[in-house]
Amino acid sequence: EIVLTQSPTTMAASPGEKVTLTCRASSSVSYMHWYQQRSGTSPKLWIYETSKLASGVPNRFSGSGSGTSYSLTINSMETEDAATYYCQQGSSYPLTFGSGTKLEIK
Amino acid sequence: EVQLVESGGGLVQPGRSLKLSCVASGFTFSNYGMNWIRQAPGKGLEWVAYISSGSSYIYYAETVKGRFTISRDNAKNTLYLQMTSLRSEDTALYYCARSRNSGPFDYWGQGVMVTVSS
């Protein structure tokens, strides 16, 4: 099983601040997907295949990485970006998620 | 508009069974793989099971293998999860989610709560 480790666990950012969330895999994966989950709602696909933005996702978001190290970056934090972000690998079964990064607005 | 609507959850005693359903609309159900993913209260996401579009490929998480069975009826646009020998640690919000093979989960339902308690 591929274990995904996200960091930080929680963080707070001010409006306009640049934010980077990281996801490390215990073995090399081909790509990473990211999901956003706001409190009390279902997760939404946010970034897929490492760097492709899902429909409707603002272009202040970007994704990058390869092998065992991946990241999600917000160029300029906005209040609506406060949520928990999960990474997920689809390279091998069982499919696995990271434990999430809770991002709060400062 | 893609819609996934889960049902069948509730309170069940340890060791008992429960069957979840997920009705799909707004897309050609038989063209997509489907998944069950769960989230324990206050916890993260855990993938549970996958079934391919024609039911040829099925995979489970180790935590549910041998106890849960995923299935689908393409004529009824419905996905199922038969859960047996339920344990307290199965208590969670269960989501169905669409995917292509092991691709991303691009649409999710609203979730259905399963509580295992005596």
Side-chain angles (χ1 to χ4, degrees), chain A residues 23-77:
Chain A
C23 178
R24 297 195 189 279
S26 59
S27 302
S28 181
V29 296
S30 301
Y31 44 74
M32 195 66 71
H33 311 307
W34 295 85
Y35 302 84
Q36 181 197 68
Q37 185 177 33
R38 294 194 177 114
S39 181
T41 67
S42 302
K44 291 181 180 176
L45 178 63
W46 213 244
I47 295 174
Y48 64 101
E49 294 174 5
T50 301
S51 59
K52 300 174 182 176
L53 300 186
S55 178
V57 175
N59 61 12
R60 61 180 177 274
F61 284 85
S62 63
S64 64
S66 65
T68 62
S69 184
Y70 293 83
S71 63
L72 178 157
T73 298
I74 307 172
N75 199 45
S76 178
M77 176 77 179

Side-chain angles (χ1 to χ4, degrees), chain A residues 35 37 42-43 86 90 93 97, chain B residues 39 50 95 102 105 108-110:
Chain A
Y35 302 84
Q37 185 177 33
S42 302
Y86 295 93
Y93 286 93
F97 290 91
Chain B
Q39 187 169 35
Y50 165 82
Y95 296 102
S102 60
F105 309 120
W108 299 60
Q110 84 287 351

Side-chain angles (χ1 to χ4, degrees), chain B residues 53-72:
Chain B
S53 57
S55 303
S56 297
Y57 299 95
I58 289 175
Y59 302 99
Y60 296 98
E62 284 297 323
T63 52
V64 306
K65 196 175 290 184
R67 299 188 300 122
F68 290 11
T69 302
I70 189 172
S71 63
R72 63 191 295 161

